[in-house]
mmCIF file of all heavy atoms in Angstrom:
data_model
loop_
_atom_site.group_PDB
_atom_site.id
_atom_site.type_symbol
_atom_site.label_atom_id
_atom_site.label_comp_id
_atom_site.label_asym_id
_atom_site.label_seq_id
_atom_site.Cartn_x
_atom_site.Cartn_y
_atom_site.Cartn_z
ATOM 1 N N ASN A 196 122.506 97.603 86.328
ATOM 2 C CA ASN A 196 121.401 96.670 86.188
ATOM 3 C C ASN A 196 121.302 95.870 87.479
ATOM 4 O O ASN A 196 122.155 95.020 87.762
ATOM 5 C CB ASN A 196 121.643 95.755 84.987
ATOM 6 C CG ASN A 196 120.491 94.803 84.727
ATOM 7 O OD1 ASN A 196 119.961 94.181 85.637
ATOM 8 N ND2 ASN A 196 120.123 94.672 83.466
ATOM 9 N N LYS A 197 120.292 96.135 88.276
ATOM 10 C CA LYS A 197 120.161 95.481 89.583
ATOM 11 C C LYS A 197 120.103 93.961 89.456
ATOM 12 O O LYS A 197 120.753 93.235 90.217
ATOM 13 C CB LYS A 197 118.906 95.973 90.300
ATOM 14 C CG LYS A 197 118.895 97.423 90.687
ATOM 15 C CD LYS A 197 117.604 97.732 91.435
ATOM 16 C CE LYS A 197 117.437 99.211 91.687
ATOM 17 N NZ LYS A 197 116.193 99.508 92.418
ATOM 18 N N GLU A 198 119.298 93.502 88.505
ATOM 19 C CA GLU A 198 119.130 92.057 88.363
ATOM 20 C C GLU A 198 120.440 91.394 87.989
ATOM 21 O O GLU A 198 120.810 90.347 88.550
ATOM 22 C CB GLU A 198 118.059 91.764 87.308
ATOM 23 C CG GLU A 198 117.761 90.282 87.143
ATOM 24 C CD GLU A 198 116.645 90.027 86.145
ATOM 25 O OE1 GLU A 198 115.974 90.991 85.732
ATOM 26 O OE2 GLU A 198 116.459 88.845 85.783
ATOM 27 N N GLN A 199 121.172 92.005 87.045
ATOM 28 C CA GLN A 199 122.446 91.434 86.629
ATOM 29 C C GLN A 199 123.459 91.462 87.770
ATOM 30 O O GLN A 199 124.179 90.485 88.004
ATOM 31 C CB GLN A 199 122.996 92.200 85.426
ATOM 32 C CG GLN A 199 124.209 91.532 84.782
ATOM 33 C CD GLN A 199 123.860 90.208 84.143
ATOM 34 O OE1 GLN A 199 122.937 90.145 83.336
ATOM 35 N NE2 GLN A 199 124.573 89.157 84.504
ATOM 36 N N LEU A 200 123.531 92.590 88.489
ATOM 37 C CA LEU A 200 124.436 92.669 89.633
ATOM 38 C C LEU A 200 124.107 91.598 90.664
ATOM 39 O O LEU A 200 125.003 90.930 91.192
ATOM 40 C CB LEU A 200 124.357 94.058 90.268
ATOM 41 C CG LEU A 200 125.199 95.164 89.630
ATOM 42 C CD1 LEU A 200 124.807 96.521 90.197
ATOM 43 C CD2 LEU A 200 126.682 94.911 89.838
ATOM 44 N N SER A 201 122.835 91.430 90.964
ATOM 45 C CA SER A 201 122.434 90.438 91.958
ATOM 46 C C SER A 201 122.827 89.032 91.521
ATOM 47 O O SER A 201 123.350 88.240 92.317
ATOM 48 C CB SER A 201 120.924 90.507 92.202
ATOM 49 O OG SER A 201 120.553 91.764 92.726
ATOM 50 N N GLN A 202 122.610 88.724 90.258
ATOM 51 C CA GLN A 202 122.963 87.398 89.750
ATOM 52 C C GLN A 202 124.471 87.162 89.809
ATOM 53 O O GLN A 202 124.933 86.106 90.264
ATOM 54 C CB GLN A 202 122.463 87.239 88.310
ATOM 55 C CG GLN A 202 120.961 87.160 88.155
ATOM 56 C CD GLN A 202 120.532 87.105 86.697
ATOM 57 O OE1 GLN A 202 121.356 87.129 85.781
ATOM 58 N NE2 GLN A 202 119.223 87.041 86.474
ATOM 59 N N ASP A 203 125.229 88.144 89.362
ATOM 60 C CA ASP A 203 126.678 87.970 89.285
ATOM 61 C C ASP A 203 127.312 87.952 90.671
ATOM 62 O O ASP A 203 128.229 87.160 90.937
ATOM 63 C CB ASP A 203 127.292 89.076 88.425
ATOM 64 C CG ASP A 203 126.895 88.953 86.960
ATOM 65 O OD1 ASP A 203 126.451 87.858 86.556
ATOM 66 O OD2 ASP A 203 127.020 89.948 86.225
ATOM 67 N N ILE A 204 126.851 88.810 91.555
ATOM 68 C CA ILE A 204 127.426 88.835 92.897
ATOM 69 C C ILE A 204 127.011 87.585 93.675
ATOM 70 O O ILE A 204 127.774 87.081 94.513
ATOM 71 C CB ILE A 204 127.038 90.136 93.621
ATOM 72 C CG1 ILE A 204 127.696 91.320 92.912
ATOM 73 C CG2 ILE A 204 127.473 90.103 95.083
ATOM 74 C CD1 ILE A 204 127.263 92.670 93.411
ATOM 75 N N THR A 205 125.832 87.057 93.399
ATOM 76 C CA THR A 205 125.438 85.787 94.002
ATOM 77 C C THR A 205 126.435 84.688 93.636
ATOM 78 O O THR A 205 126.832 83.875 94.485
ATOM 79 C CB THR A 205 124.022 85.391 93.552
ATOM 80 O OG1 THR A 205 123.087 86.332 94.085
ATOM 81 C CG2 THR A 205 123.651 83.995 94.051
ATOM 82 N N LYS A 206 126.866 84.661 92.378
ATOM 83 C CA LYS A 206 127.869 83.676 91.962
ATOM 84 C C LYS A 206 129.161 83.843 92.761
ATOM 85 O O LYS A 206 129.758 82.868 93.226
ATOM 86 C CB LYS A 206 128.158 83.818 90.468
ATOM 87 C CG LYS A 206 127.042 83.376 89.556
ATOM 88 C CD LYS A 206 127.454 83.545 88.089
ATOM 89 C CE LYS A 206 126.325 83.175 87.153
ATOM 90 N NZ LYS A 206 126.704 83.372 85.717
ATOM 91 N N ILE A 207 129.597 85.097 92.906
ATOM 92 C CA ILE A 207 130.825 85.365 93.657
ATOM 93 C C ILE A 207 130.693 84.879 95.091
ATOM 94 O O ILE A 207 131.578 84.187 95.626
ATOM 95 C CB ILE A 207 131.150 86.872 93.622
ATOM 96 C CG1 ILE A 207 131.555 87.297 92.208
ATOM 97 C CG2 ILE A 207 132.252 87.224 94.626
ATOM 98 C CD1 ILE A 207 131.687 88.798 92.023
ATOM 99 N N VAL A 208 129.592 85.236 95.738
ATOM 100 C CA VAL A 208 129.361 84.841 97.131
ATOM 101 C C VAL A 208 129.379 83.322 97.268
ATOM 102 O O VAL A 208 129.997 82.770 98.196
ATOM 103 C CB VAL A 208 128.031 85.424 97.630
ATOM 104 C CG1 VAL A 208 127.645 84.814 98.977
ATOM 105 C CG2 VAL A 208 128.109 86.942 97.732
ATOM 106 N N GLU A 209 128.729 82.639 96.359
ATOM 107 C CA GLU A 209 128.607 81.191 96.491
ATOM 108 C C GLU A 209 129.904 80.468 96.145
ATOM 109 O O GLU A 209 130.249 79.478 96.789
ATOM 110 C CB GLU A 209 127.425 80.707 95.652
ATOM 111 C CG GLU A 209 126.103 81.246 96.225
ATOM 112 C CD GLU A 209 124.865 80.782 95.514
ATOM 113 O OE1 GLU A 209 124.982 80.252 94.372
ATOM 114 O OE2 GLU A 209 123.757 80.961 96.080
ATOM 115 N N VAL A 210 130.663 80.978 95.173
ATOM 116 C CA VAL A 210 131.966 80.388 94.871
ATOM 117 C C VAL A 210 132.919 80.583 96.042
ATOM 118 O O VAL A 210 133.647 79.650 96.438
ATOM 119 C CB VAL A 210 132.545 81.001 93.571
ATOM 120 C CG1 VAL A 210 134.028 80.661 93.426
ATOM 121 C CG2 VAL A 210 131.767 80.504 92.363
ATOM 122 N N GLU A 211 132.930 81.769 96.638
ATOM 123 C CA GLU A 211 133.827 82.017 97.767
ATOM 124 C C GLU A 211 133.398 81.238 99.004
ATOM 125 O O GLU A 211 134.243 80.716 99.748
ATOM 126 C CB GLU A 211 133.901 83.521 98.055
ATOM 127 C CG GLU A 211 134.598 84.295 96.934
ATOM 128 C CD GLU A 211 134.897 85.740 97.301
ATOM 129 O OE1 GLU A 211 134.553 86.171 98.417
ATOM 130 O OE2 GLU A 211 135.477 86.444 96.440
ATOM 131 N N THR A 212 132.114 81.152 99.248
ATOM 132 C CA THR A 212 131.630 80.382 100.402
ATOM 133 C C THR A 212 132.019 78.916 100.258
ATOM 134 O O THR A 212 132.439 78.269 101.239
ATOM 135 C CB THR A 212 130.101 80.529 100.541
ATOM 136 O OG1 THR A 212 129.772 81.902 100.746
ATOM 137 C CG2 THR A 212 129.581 79.711 101.712
ATOM 138 N N ALA A 213 131.912 78.369 99.048
ATOM 139 C CA ALA A 213 132.309 76.978 98.817
ATOM 140 C C ALA A 213 133.807 76.803 99.043
ATOM 141 O O ALA A 213 134.248 75.781 99.611
ATOM 142 C CB ALA A 213 131.932 76.568 97.395
ATOM 143 N N LEU A 214 134.602 77.794 98.629
ATOM 144 C CA LEU A 214 136.051 77.717 98.827
ATOM 145 C C LEU A 214 136.398 77.632 100.308
ATOM 146 O O LEU A 214 137.213 76.810 100.724
ATOM 147 C CB LEU A 214 136.712 78.938 98.176
ATOM 148 C CG LEU A 214 138.233 79.030 98.142
ATOM 149 C CD1 LEU A 214 138.659 79.992 97.033
ATOM 150 C CD2 LEU A 214 138.845 79.501 99.466
ATOM 151 N N TRP A 215 135.754 78.480 101.113
ATOM 152 C CA TRP A 215 136.091 78.555 102.538
ATOM 153 C C TRP A 215 135.359 77.511 103.383
ATOM 154 O O TRP A 215 135.741 77.256 104.515
ATOM 155 C CB TRP A 215 135.798 79.952 103.062
ATOM 156 C CG TRP A 215 136.764 80.975 102.567
ATOM 157 C CD1 TRP A 215 136.626 81.783 101.484
ATOM 158 C CD2 TRP A 215 138.061 81.274 103.117
ATOM 159 N NE1 TRP A 215 137.736 82.578 101.331
ATOM 160 C CE2 TRP A 215 138.631 82.292 102.322
ATOM 161 C CE3 TRP A 215 138.779 80.790 104.210
ATOM 162 C CZ2 TRP A 215 139.898 82.823 102.589
ATOM 163 C CZ3 TRP A 215 140.041 81.324 104.477
ATOM 164 C CH2 TRP A 215 140.577 82.326 103.667
ATOM 165 N N GLY A 216 134.292 76.961 102.849
ATOM 166 C CA GLY A 216 133.596 75.887 103.558
ATOM 167 C C GLY A 216 132.340 76.307 104.275
ATOM 168 O O GLY A 216 131.454 75.483 104.499
ATOM 169 N N SER A 217 132.243 77.562 104.668
ATOM 170 C CA SER A 217 131.039 78.080 105.328
ATOM 171 C C SER A 217 131.077 79.592 105.280
ATOM 172 O O SER A 217 132.134 80.187 105.068
ATOM 173 C CB SER A 217 130.951 77.606 106.785
ATOM 174 O OG SER A 217 132.052 78.080 107.545
ATOM 175 N N ASN A 218 129.920 80.213 105.476
ATOM 176 C CA ASN A 218 129.833 81.666 105.475
ATOM 177 C C ASN A 218 129.535 82.135 106.893
ATOM 178 O O ASN A 218 128.590 81.649 107.524
ATOM 179 C CB ASN A 218 128.731 82.141 104.522
ATOM 180 C CG ASN A 218 128.844 83.609 104.178
ATOM 181 O OD1 ASN A 218 128.820 84.462 105.053
ATOM 182 N ND2 ASN A 218 128.964 83.916 102.884
ATOM 183 N N PRO A 219 130.325 83.075 107.426
ATOM 184 C CA PRO A 219 130.197 83.444 108.840
ATOM 185 C C PRO A 219 129.068 84.415 109.155
ATOM 186 O O PRO A 219 128.845 84.731 110.324
ATOM 187 C CB PRO A 219 131.549 84.092 109.144
ATOM 188 C CG PRO A 219 131.969 84.705 107.841
ATOM 189 C CD PRO A 219 131.467 83.763 106.775
ATOM 190 N N ASN A 220 128.352 84.908 108.150
ATOM 191 C CA ASN A 220 127.391 85.979 108.390
ATOM 192 C C ASN A 220 125.947 85.516 108.389
ATOM 193 O O ASN A 220 125.588 84.539 107.731
ATOM 194 C CB ASN A 220 127.546 87.079 107.341
ATOM 195 C CG ASN A 220 128.784 87.940 107.564
ATOM 196 O OD1 ASN A 220 129.447 88.333 106.632
ATOM 197 N ND2 ASN A 220 129.098 88.217 108.814
ATOM 198 N N ASP A 221 125.123 86.244 109.118
ATOM 199 C CA ASP A 221 123.669 86.097 109.023
ATOM 200 C C ASP A 221 123.095 87.104 108.033
ATOM 201 O O ASP A 221 121.976 86.946 107.548
ATOM 202 C CB ASP A 221 123.020 86.326 110.393
ATOM 203 C CG ASP A 221 123.448 85.281 111.411
ATOM 204 O OD1 ASP A 221 123.604 84.113 111.013
ATOM 205 O OD2 ASP A 221 123.650 85.634 112.587
ATOM 206 N N ARG A 222 123.881 88.157 107.744
ATOM 207 C CA ARG A 222 123.436 89.234 106.866
ATOM 208 C C ARG A 222 124.668 90.006 106.422
ATOM 209 O O ARG A 222 125.663 90.082 107.144
ATOM 210 C CB ARG A 222 122.477 90.165 107.634
ATOM 211 C CG ARG A 222 121.995 91.385 106.882
ATOM 212 C CD ARG A 222 120.956 92.151 107.720
ATOM 213 N NE ARG A 222 120.682 93.456 107.156
ATOM 214 C CZ ARG A 222 121.348 94.568 107.472
ATOM 215 N NH1 ARG A 222 122.312 94.519 108.383
ATOM 216 N NH2 ARG A 222 121.046 95.725 106.913
ATOM 217 N N TYR A 223 124.616 90.566 105.200
ATOM 218 C CA TYR A 223 125.777 91.285 104.676
ATOM 219 C C TYR A 223 125.286 92.492 103.885
ATOM 220 O O TYR A 223 124.237 92.444 103.231
ATOM 221 C CB TYR A 223 126.607 90.370 103.770
ATOM 222 C CG TYR A 223 127.946 90.954 103.385
ATOM 223 C CD1 TYR A 223 129.065 90.756 104.186
ATOM 224 C CD2 TYR A 223 128.105 91.690 102.211
ATOM 225 C CE1 TYR A 223 130.300 91.296 103.840
ATOM 226 C CE2 TYR A 223 129.331 92.231 101.848
ATOM 227 C CZ TYR A 223 130.423 92.027 102.681
ATOM 228 O OH TYR A 223 131.640 92.564 102.342
#
Side-chain angles (χ1 to χ4, degrees):
N196 183 315
K197 295 182 188 180
E198 183 177 350
Q199 189 66 53
L200 277 169
S201 298
Q202 291 176 0
D203 292 342
I204 294 173
T205 294
K206 289 181 183 178
I207 291 171
V208 169
E209 294 183 345
V210 166
E211 292 190 359
T212 299
L214 185 159
W215 288 94
S217 62
N218 196 302
N220 286 142
D221 296 323
R222 176 175 168 270
Y223 190 88

